[in-house]
Amino acid sequence: MQWKAKVEVTLKKAVLDPQGAAVEKSLQALGYDGVSQVRVGKYIELNLEANDREEAAARVEDMSRRLLSNPVIEDYSYVLQEAGL
Amino acid sequence: MQWKAKVEVTLKKAVLDPQGAAVEKSLQALGYDGVSQVRVGKYIELNLEANDREEAAARVEDMSRRLLSNPVIEDYSYVLQEAGL
Amino acid sequence: MKFGVIVFPGSNCDLDSYHLVRDVLNKEVEYIHYSEKSVGRRDVIILPGGFTYGDYLRSGAIARFSPVMNAVAEFADKGGLVLGICNGFQVLTEAGLLPGALCRNHHLQFRCEQVFVRVDNNSLPFTLSASLGKVLEMPVAHGDGSYYAPPELLEEMKANDQIVFRYTDQNGDVTPQANPNGSLENIAGVCNRAGNVVGLMPHPERAGEKVLGSRHGLIIFKSIISYLTGREVVRNV
Amino acid sequence: MSDQDLHRTLGLTDHEYKLITEQMGREPNEVELNMYSVMWSEHCSYKHSRSALKLFPTTSPRVIQGPGENAGVVDIGDGWAAVFKIESHNHPSAIEPHQGAATGVGGILRDIYTMGAQPVAFLNSLRFGNLETARGRYLFDGVVGGIGGYGNCVGIPTVAGEVFFEPCYEGNPLVNAMCVGIMPADQLVLGKASGEGNLVVLVGALTGRDGIHGVTFASEELSEESEEKRPAVQVGDPFMGKLLMDATLETIGKKLVTGVQDFGGAGLTCALTETASRAGTGIEVDLDQVPLREEDMHPFEILTSESQERMLLIVEPDKLKAVEEVFGRWDLKPAVIGKVTSGETVTARYRGEVVASVPAASVAGGAPVYNPESREPAYFRELANYDPLNMPLPEDYGEVLLKLLAAPDIASKEWVWRRYDYMVRTCTLQGPGGDSAVIRIRETGKALAMSVDGNGRHTYLDPYRGGMMAVAEATRNLSCSGADPIGITDCLNFGNPEKPEIYWQFSQAVEGMAEACRVLNVPVVGGNVSFYNEVQGEAIYPTPVVGAVGLLKDPAKQCVPALRRDGDHLFLLGPQEVSLGGSQYLKSWCGKVSGSLAEVDLEAERDVQDLIRDLINADLVQSAHDLSDGGLAVALAESCLSGRIGAQVNLAPSDYLPLALFGEGPSRVLFSVAPEDADRVSQLIMEAKVESSKIGIVKGDALIISHGDDIILKLELSAMQAAYEEVFSCIME
Ligand SMILES: Nc1ncnc2c1ncn2[C@@H]1O[C@H](COP(=O)(O)OP(=O)(O)O)[C@@H](O)[C@H]1O
Ligand SMILES: [Mg+2]
């Protein structure tokens, strides 16, 4: 069975996010005041084979930890859905 | 009112995604076979002030088009939720 | 004749353009701070290389909203000459003053090396001193230089002769090996429809002295100078 | 927790705690103890190295500022000065290679412009385990990416470096970053908080919890637990770094600041106590004025945070506005956090209360100096007694040379340096790939040559000679480009100095380096010590790294290794005494790290360097290349490859060809001379009484080496090129 995973990788809260800071300043300069706490991370989409949701989740979990995120500075979260195949 | 927006910015289908290809290759090399169609994009989180959901949506829409994405090569989508303030 | 070099936060080749114009070409040149609302009375505006705003989000994405960019757009609108080098090229595409976009290098690495580019349009103020098909040796130094334009746009650009430079081998042949970053059709530099705004990824300002390895970049500056000199002559008649 | 336990948790010994109470005249409170703990860490206090470092000669008529400030300053004539320093970022890079390396580069950059100098070049020296493991490749790739990422973005070219691979660096890679700057000599500013009533100003990034106790972390061996203790990883922000650099230099240029100090290890605590103690003043700070990135930070966290991209300025009150204007142009807001006081106490207030009040000199300089026990390690004699000349002879020397050329230690590092912008600022006359990099100085018409060198294998086998050889090689590289060495900076990477065997390695290496500096007449003007490079009790090879800077009066005379013209004569200069002990041949071909090093004759070294410089300055040299790893054969191959031309060489009669071809020793230079100059050169060599021989000519498109009547090696350029140039792309991509 084909699954689609959408993984969001974000910098850990305590880790400096210079990119987020620059975007935040820029948005404010563009007149969007009231914008705050901007963080920039990664978004990864992929399809995978797995027999059931549990197996798919386990594999995505595994990939996210090993490759898609850098656990030293990043956290991740994901959603899984059946791929419309 | 405080809102939290989560914006996903992805490369348009027609645009080559070398990062996605590299991640796909690495995943396969790590033994995750059956992984395909990997795409890597950006994930941006931010808080903003707006009186209601509609206003918040309009502003996020606007920022996404003007700054957060480049319409020549990227698409975006977002979700909005009330910030737990 | 007056050159202006825009200094955005994070520009870092501003010095190199400035030095070339002042010390090698002996022309008048001034820096223009990104917060200025006017580019003043200048004949050429250079958007230099560097990492404006750290290249955060996308290269050039934030810089293009600098106050000075409105002035640059107005200046270009009136036919002023605008040259974007490397990051300056990225800023111009982000600002919509040049067509297309610059994406991550296909090998995903920053790459600093000498390349060859061919002049594919020599009817511009920036290239009129070069013969058509002339091959120039210049360095590139960038991580986001892979040129992209959607198919319809590309056709339109070709029809308007907007592709100014292509990466080639030493003999001027467009080959995949000569492409340092995966650019569409080996495109290294483009111009706007009117031909007064040009952007390119290679660094002509780093190829202006023999001790630095090549003087081919001078052709671009000398073209600009003879174009402007010609205009001054006409004006003074 | 009682204070007893707290000081131990913070890495202070009972003895040190007692010293603190003596120096303070009372018990420190928790905040104060934290301040002491970071400043008395090995990283900041140099408590195990200070006595040995005294051996270095640190003065010369050119030296304006020796060790003790953020960087050394050397006169380069015409009213200008060169400023340089090297520093390690080993442990952070082991944890997060990209950010670890990037923040290392950012840190050394700040040390240079803090002095008032415009940074003009970066160099780096790297060591990794092997590239066969995914982790090894990850570290290598990440570190290179981090160095390039920071340097490219701030717009300072990365122009030289070195990379070696040995299993001992597997878990503890070395990342040493060096920066060179230039400035008008009268623009020098020091890290001093002088002038009672002057304002203490913090500018740059917000202060977060990153890197708290980073220095303590750097002063311990890496272990499983260190994972746990690890502070939040520091992330570099080269964009902010560049703004801060440009604006700080502008305030210095406009004489708006009295003192400048960067924030490095130990954060605010270090900046405050060092600037106060250097000036003999005190400082009062209000921690509520420190702009924070995170909420609810404890005073000790504010005082010890190692958030990157921050500077401390000492400003006269009536100049504050002008300072604010300069930074304001880049959207930076200086924060006045305190003022300079009389007395010699640093006092910190938080929410209206005094939370710390410490004697500046005691915190910054009161740590004890240890003279650790030293013991020759058992391995030393054992390995030294090994005789490499017993190894069976190879059948095909061409095959050996190809293997050496393809060894990651020797192979072309283009894969690394093409990721560095080595041209930005358009002053790079010679970038990576030669013996030294050369950067022109627009303002004076002269140029600086620079090189960074160290061979851990050599120092492991013989720390004393290895130390000498590091200094000799770094300066020889400069001499081969025609430049006069004017000073060095050094980074001493060792294991745990509390182990007598490690301390022996350290003190031997320092003695050797000091001796070489004396004879070669180059002062040490700054440096850095990195101890505790150990994983699970296993130390790295003792690895002193030397960064040398030289002055090239006439850049047009700059010489490079590339052979130039068919028919040029090839000379080999220097003593012929070489050894296979610790050689690349022994490592790559025989799989051994053993044997003893060749004798080092420092007088001969000095004569060789003087002579090659004289010959270059007399326009008699077409190319010059220093002989190092891989010996004569590798130097020949490299000279051929960079000149894209072949050579025909005749070896002197030898009983053991591997020694003649691949033996390594100091003080040797391969250079080429136009035929019409050959007699003159021979004459000058004779007059200088330097050993030398004419070994062949530049010719064709192959390297051909014969011994007597036999051709013992013949390799086409293309074959050597394939071996030399494709290694990293193959391994890494
Ligand atoms: N191996 C060494 N050789 C010479 N000087 C050294 C050495 N190690 C440290 N020093 C000097 O000791 C002083 C303190 O070094 P360090 O704490 O690394 O400085 P910073 O805090 O500015 O990075 C500096 O002036 C440095 O040059
Ligand atoms: Mg410092």
Side-chain angles (χ1 to χ4, degrees), chain D residues 633-676:
Chain D
V634 166
L636 280 166
E638 288 171 344
S639 303
C640 288
L641 286 174
S642 60
R644 300 189 188 285
I645 188 163
Q648 293 186 359
V649 170
N650 222 314
L651 290 183
S654 161
D655 298 336
Y656 191 71
L657 286 175
L659 187 65
L661 287 167
F662 307 111
E664 297 174 15
S667 323
R668 297 196 301 161
V669 174
L670 173 73
F671 70 103
S672 65
V673 173
E676 61 272 23

Coordinates of all heavy atoms in Angstrom, one line a residue, chain D residues 633-676:
Chain D
A633 N 58.9 12.4 -4.7 CA 58.1 11.9 -5.8 C 56.8 12.6 -5.8 O 56.3 13.1 -6.9 CB 57.8 10.4 -5.7
V634 N 56.2 12.8 -4.7 CA 54.9 13.5 -4.6 C 55.0 15.0 -5.0 O 54.3 15.6 -5.7 CB 54.2 13.3 -3.3 CG1 53.0 14.3 -3.1 CG2 53.7 11.9 -3.1
A635 N 56.1 15.6 -4.5 CA 56.4 17.0 -4.8 C 56.5 17.2 -6.3 O 56.0 18.1 -6.9 CB 57.6 17.5 -4.1
L636 N 57.3 16.3 -6.9 CA 57.4 16.3 -8.4 C 56.1 16.2 -9.1 O 55.8 17.0 -10.0 CB 58.4 15.2 -8.9 CG 59.9 15.4 -8.7 CD1 60.6 14.1 -8.8 CD2 60.4 16.5 -9.6
A637 N 55.3 15.2 -8.7 CA 54.0 15.0 -9.3 C 53.1 16.2 -9.2 O 52.5 16.7 -10.1 CB 53.3 13.8 -8.7
E638 N 53.1 16.8 -8.0 CA 52.3 18.0 -7.8 C 52.7 19.2 -8.6 O 51.9 19.9 -9.2 CB 52.3 18.4 -6.3 CG 51.5 17.5 -5.4 CD 51.7 17.7 -3.9 OE1 52.7 18.4 -3.5 OE2 50.9 17.2 -3.1
S639 N 54.1 19.3 -8.7 CA 54.6 20.5 -9.5 C 54.2 20.2 -11.0 O 53.9 21.2 -11.7 CB 56.1 20.6 -9.4 OG 56.4 20.8 -8.0
C640 N 54.3 19.0 -11.5 CA 54.0 18.7 -12.9 C 52.5 18.9 -13.1 O 52.1 19.6 -14.0 CB 54.2 17.2 -13.2 SG 56.0 16.8 -13.3
L641 N 51.6 18.4 -12.2 CA 50.2 18.6 -12.4 C 49.8 20.0 -12.4 O 48.9 20.4 -13.2 CB 49.4 17.8 -11.3 CG 49.5 16.3 -11.4 CD1 48.9 15.6 -10.2 CD2 48.8 15.8 -12.7
S642 N 50.3 20.8 -11.4 CA 49.8 22.2 -11.4 C 50.3 23.0 -12.6 O 49.7 23.9 -13.0 CB 50.0 22.9 -10.1 OG 51.3 22.9 -9.8
G643 N 51.5 22.6 -13.2 CA 52.0 23.2 -14.3 C 51.5 22.6 -15.6 O 51.8 23.1 -16.7
R644 N 50.8 21.5 -15.5 CA 50.4 20.7 -16.7 C 51.6 20.4 -17.7 O 51.5 20.6 -18.9 CB 49.3 21.4 -17.5 CG 48.1 21.6 -16.6 CD 46.9 22.1 -17.3 NE 45.8 22.4 -16.4 CZ 45.1 21.5 -15.7 NH1 45.3 20.2 -15.9 NH2 44.2 21.9 -14.8
I645 N 52.7 20.0 -17.1 CA 53.9 19.7 -17.9 C 54.7 18.6 -17.2 O 54.6 18.6 -15.9 CB 54.7 21.0 -18.1 CG1 55.8 20.8 -19.1 CG2 55.3 21.6 -16.9 CD1 56.4 22.1 -19.7
G646 N 55.4 17.8 -17.9 CA 56.1 16.7 -17.3 C 57.5 17.1 -16.8 O 58.0 18.2 -16.9
A647 N 58.3 16.0 -16.3 CA 59.6 16.3 -15.9 C 60.4 15.0 -16.0 O 59.9 13.9 -16.0 CB 59.6 16.7 -14.4
Q648 N 61.7 15.1 -16.2 CA 62.6 14.0 -16.3 C 63.7 14.1 -15.2 O 64.4 15.1 -15.2 CB 63.3 13.8 -17.6 CG 62.3 13.5 -18.7 CD 63.0 13.2 -20.0 OE1 64.2 13.3 -20.2 NE2 62.1 12.9 -21.0
V649 N 63.7 13.2 -14.3 CA 64.5 13.3 -13.1 C 65.4 12.1 -12.9 O 65.0 11.0 -13.1 CB 63.6 13.5 -11.9 CG1 64.4 13.4 -10.6 CG2 62.8 14.8 -12.0
N650 N 66.6 12.4 -12.5 CA 67.6 11.4 -12.2 C 67.9 11.3 -10.7 O 68.4 12.3 -10.1 CB 68.9 11.6 -12.9 CG 69.4 10.3 -13.5 OD1 69.4 9.3 -12.9 ND2 69.7 10.4 -14.8
L651 N 67.6 10.2 -10.0 CA 67.8 10.1 -8.6 C 69.3 10.0 -8.3 O 70.0 9.3 -9.1 CB 67.1 9.0 -8.0 CG 65.6 9.0 -7.9 CD1 65.1 7.8 -7.2 CD2 65.1 10.3 -7.2
A652 N 69.8 10.5 -7.2 CA 71.1 10.3 -6.7 C 71.2 8.8 -6.4 O 70.2 8.2 -6.0 CB 71.4 11.1 -5.5
P653 N 72.4 8.2 -6.5 CA 72.5 6.7 -6.2 C 72.0 6.5 -4.8 O 72.3 7.2 -3.9 CB 74.1 6.5 -6.2 CG 74.6 7.6 -7.1 CD 73.7 8.8 -6.9
S654 N 71.2 5.4 -4.7 CA 70.5 5.1 -3.4 C 70.4 3.6 -3.2 O 70.2 2.9 -4.2 CB 69.1 5.7 -3.5 OG 68.3 5.1 -2.5
D655 N 70.6 3.2 -2.0 CA 70.5 1.8 -1.7 C 69.1 1.3 -1.5 O 68.8 0.2 -1.6 CB 71.2 1.5 -0.3 CG 72.7 1.8 -0.4 OD1 73.2 1.9 -1.6 OD2 73.3 2.1 0.6
Y656 N 68.2 2.3 -1.2 CA 66.8 1.9 -0.9 C 65.9 2.9 -1.6 O 65.7 4.0 -1.0 CB 66.6 1.8 0.6 CG 65.3 1.2 1.0 CD1 65.1 -0.2 0.9 CD2 64.3 1.9 1.6 CE1 64.0 -0.8 1.3 CE2 63.1 1.3 2.0 CZ 63.0 0.0 1.8 OH 61.8 -0.6 2.2
L657 N 65.4 2.6 -2.7 CA 64.7 3.5 -3.5 C 63.5 4.1 -2.9 O 63.2 5.3 -3.1 CB 64.4 2.9 -4.9 CG 65.6 2.8 -5.8 CD1 65.2 2.1 -7.1 CD2 66.1 4.2 -6.2
P658 N 62.7 3.4 -2.1 CA 61.5 4.0 -1.5 C 62.0 5.2 -0.6 O 61.2 6.2 -0.6 CB 61.0 2.9 -0.6 CG 61.4 1.6 -1.2 CD 62.7 1.9 -1.8
L659 N 63.1 5.1 0.0 CA 63.6 6.2 0.8 C 63.9 7.5 -0.1 O 63.5 8.6 0.2 CB 64.8 5.8 1.6 CG 65.4 6.8 2.6 CD1 64.4 7.0 3.7 CD2 66.7 6.3 3.2
A660 N 64.6 7.2 -1.2 CA 64.9 8.3 -2.1 C 63.7 9.0 -2.7 O 63.6 10.2 -2.8 CB 65.8 7.8 -3.2
L661 N 62.7 8.1 -3.0 CA 61.5 8.6 -3.7 C 60.5 9.2 -2.7 O 59.9 10.3 -3.0 CB 60.8 7.5 -4.4 CG 61.5 7.0 -5.7 CD1 60.8 5.7 -6.2 CD2 61.3 8.1 -6.8
F662 N 60.3 8.5 -1.6 CA 59.2 8.9 -0.7 C 59.6 9.3 0.7 O 58.7 9.6 1.5 CB 58.2 7.7 -0.6 CG 57.7 7.3 -2.0 CD1 58.1 6.0 -2.5 CD2 56.9 8.1 -2.8 CE1 57.7 5.5 -3.7 CE2 56.5 7.6 -4.1 CZ 56.9 6.4 -4.5
G663 N 60.9 9.3 1.0 CA 61.3 9.7 2.3 C 61.0 11.1 2.6 O 60.9 11.9 1.7
E664 N 60.7 11.4 3.9 CA 60.3 12.7 4.3 C 61.3 13.3 5.2 O 61.9 12.6 6.0 CB 58.9 12.7 4.9 CG 57.9 12.2 3.9 CD 56.5 12.1 4.5 OE1 56.2 12.6 5.6 OE2 55.6 11.4 3.8
G665 N 61.5 14.6 5.1 CA 62.4 15.3 6.0 C 62.2 16.8 5.8 O 61.6 17.2 4.8
P666 N 62.7 17.6 6.8 CA 62.4 19.0 6.7 C 63.4 19.7 5.7 O 64.2 19.0 5.1 CB 62.7 19.5 8.1 CG 63.8 18.5 8.6 CD 63.5 17.2 7.9
S667 N 63.2 20.9 5.5 CA 64.2 21.8 4.9 C 64.5 21.5 3.4 O 65.5 21.8 2.9 CB 65.6 21.7 5.6 OG 65.4 21.6 7.0
R668 N 63.5 20.9 2.7 CA 63.8 20.7 1.3 C 62.8 21.4 0.4 O 61.7 21.6 0.7 CB 63.7 19.2 1.0 CG 64.7 18.4 1.8 CD 64.9 17.0 1.3 NE 63.7 16.2 1.3 CZ 63.5 15.1 0.6 NH1 64.4 14.6 -0.2 NH2 62.3 14.5 0.7
V669 N 63.4 21.9 -0.7 CA 62.6 22.7 -1.7 C 63.0 22.2 -3.1 O 64.1 22.0 -3.4 CB 62.9 24.2 -1.6 CG1 62.2 25.0 -2.7 CG2 62.5 24.7 -0.2
L670 N 61.9 22.0 -3.9 CA 62.1 21.6 -5.3 C 61.8 22.9 -6.1 O 60.8 23.5 -5.9 CB 61.1 20.6 -5.7 CG 61.0 20.2 -7.1 CD1 62.2 19.4 -7.6 CD2 59.7 19.4 -7.4
F671 N 62.8 23.3 -6.9 CA 62.5 24.5 -7.7 C 63.1 24.4 -9.1 O 64.0 23.6 -9.4 CB 63.0 25.8 -7.0 CG 64.5 25.9 -6.9 CD1 65.1 26.8 -7.7 CD2 65.2 25.2 -5.9 CE1 66.5 27.0 -7.6 CE2 66.6 25.4 -5.8 CZ 67.2 26.3 -6.7
S672 N 62.5 25.2 -10.0 CA 63.0 25.1 -11.4 C 63.5 26.5 -11.8 O 63.2 27.5 -11.3 CB 61.8 24.7 -12.3 OG 60.8 25.7 -12.3
V673 N 64.5 26.4 -12.8 CA 65.3 27.5 -13.2 C 65.4 27.5 -14.7 O 65.6 26.5 -15.3 CB 66.7 27.4 -12.5 CG1 67.6 28.5 -13.0 CG2 66.6 27.5 -11.0
A674 N 65.3 28.7 -15.3 CA 65.5 28.8 -16.8 C 66.9 28.4 -17.1 O 67.8 28.7 -16.3 CB 65.2 30.2 -17.2
P675 N 67.1 27.7 -18.2 CA 68.5 27.2 -18.5 C 69.5 28.3 -18.5 O 70.6 28.1 -18.0 CB 68.3 26.7 -20.0 CG 66.9 26.6 -20.2 CD 66.1 27.4 -19.2
E676 N 69.1 29.5 -19.0 CA 70.1 30.6 -19.0 C 70.5 31.1 -17.6 O 71.6 31.7 -17.5 CB 69.7 31.7 -19.9 CG 68.4 32.4 -19.5 CD 67.1 31.8 -20.0 OE1 67.2 30.6 -20.4 OE2 66.1 32.4 -20.1

